[in-house]
Amino acid sequence: MAKKTSKQSTSQSTEKKFLQPGRVVIILQGRYAGKKAVIIKSFDEGSASRPYGHAIVAGIDRNAQRVVRKHTNAQIEQRVRMSYFLKVVNYQHLMPTRYGVDVNFSNFVTKKVLEDPTQKTAALKKIRKSFSKRYLAGKNKWFFTKLRF
């Protein structure tokens, strides 16, 4: 057996956590594969019900479409509408990006909220309001564009 040197043990203990709240990730598996999302809460050690690293994410299911001058106000309203999702995802199904979004949903989104459908829809309404406000203000443009691949 080889002994661990002090260099190896210190590098493991000072490992930086990169899946932090506010980090933009791309979902790799499942219904929302290829969609962008923001980490709300991360659980590195897992929990009793999910014994693996996972995170609560909020993301964009359907992006806004392009608007041109000839569209009427009703058409613009329809084309700018986006749909959002709220989900618990395994770390293995997330790909982190270099981008971050400075939103704080952790005060009203918890695991208990995700279990109750009425609370989940109320949380999605708050997320929709926050994301649409950021979109209309022109912040985080990369997050609100469709992922091309």
Side-chain angles (χ1 to χ4, degrees):
M1 277 181 125
K3 272 187 165 179
K4 282 187 179 178
T5 62
S6 60
K7 206 177 216 184
Q8 289 175 337
S9 62
T10 56
S11 66
Q12 290 175 351
S13 63
T14 59
E15 190 174 304
K16 187 177 179 203
K17 191 171 109 176
F18 60 92
L19 289 173
Q20 297 174 347
R23 171 73 65 184
V24 176
V25 294
I26 298 171
I27 299 187
L28 301 175
Q29 297 287 327
R31 177 180 178 179
Y32 301 109
K35 305 294 182 184
K36 296 176 191 170
V38 177
I39 294 178
I40 296 174
K41 279 189 181 174
S42 57
F43 303 92
D44 292 332
E45 307 304 319
S47 63
S49 60
R50 296 173 189 264
Y52 47 84
H54 57 280
I56 298 176
V57 297
I60 299 175
D61 185 20
R62 191 183 65 237
N63 291 76
Q65 297 175 331
R66 187 167 36 158
V67 176
V68 293
R69 195 179 321 169
K70 69 177 182 178
H71 287 144
T72 63
N73 287 340
Q75 287 173 325
I76 291 171
E77 186 77 25
Q78 184 69 25
R79 293 177 75 83
V80 171
R81 188 174 297 151
M82 293 185 274
S83 66
Y84 305 98
F85 64 90
L86 186 62
K87 191 173 174 65
V88 178
V89 183
N90 187 341
Y91 277 170
Q92 301 293 320
H93 305 302
L94 297 176
M95 184 174 76
T97 64
R98 63 181 178 163
Y99 298 101
V101 177
D102 55 337
V103 292
N104 188 12
F105 299 131
S106 61
N107 52 0
F108 60 86
V109 176
T110 60
K111 282 191 174 184
K112 290 182 181 177
V113 168
L114 292 173
E115 293 168 1
D116 183 30
T118 56
Q119 288 181 345
K120 186 175 178 180
T121 54
L124 270 171
K125 285 181 183 178
K126 290 180 183 178
I127 289 169
R128 176 182 294 126
K129 184 181 275 187
S130 176
F131 275 159
S132 60
K133 194 181 294 184
R134 294 187 78 76
Y135 174 72
L136 294 174
K139 296 180 180 177
N140 306 104
K141 287 190 177 191
W142 181 83
F143 181 67
F144 294 106
T145 57
K146 188 175 180 181
L147 190 61
R148 299 285 181 185
F149 61 94

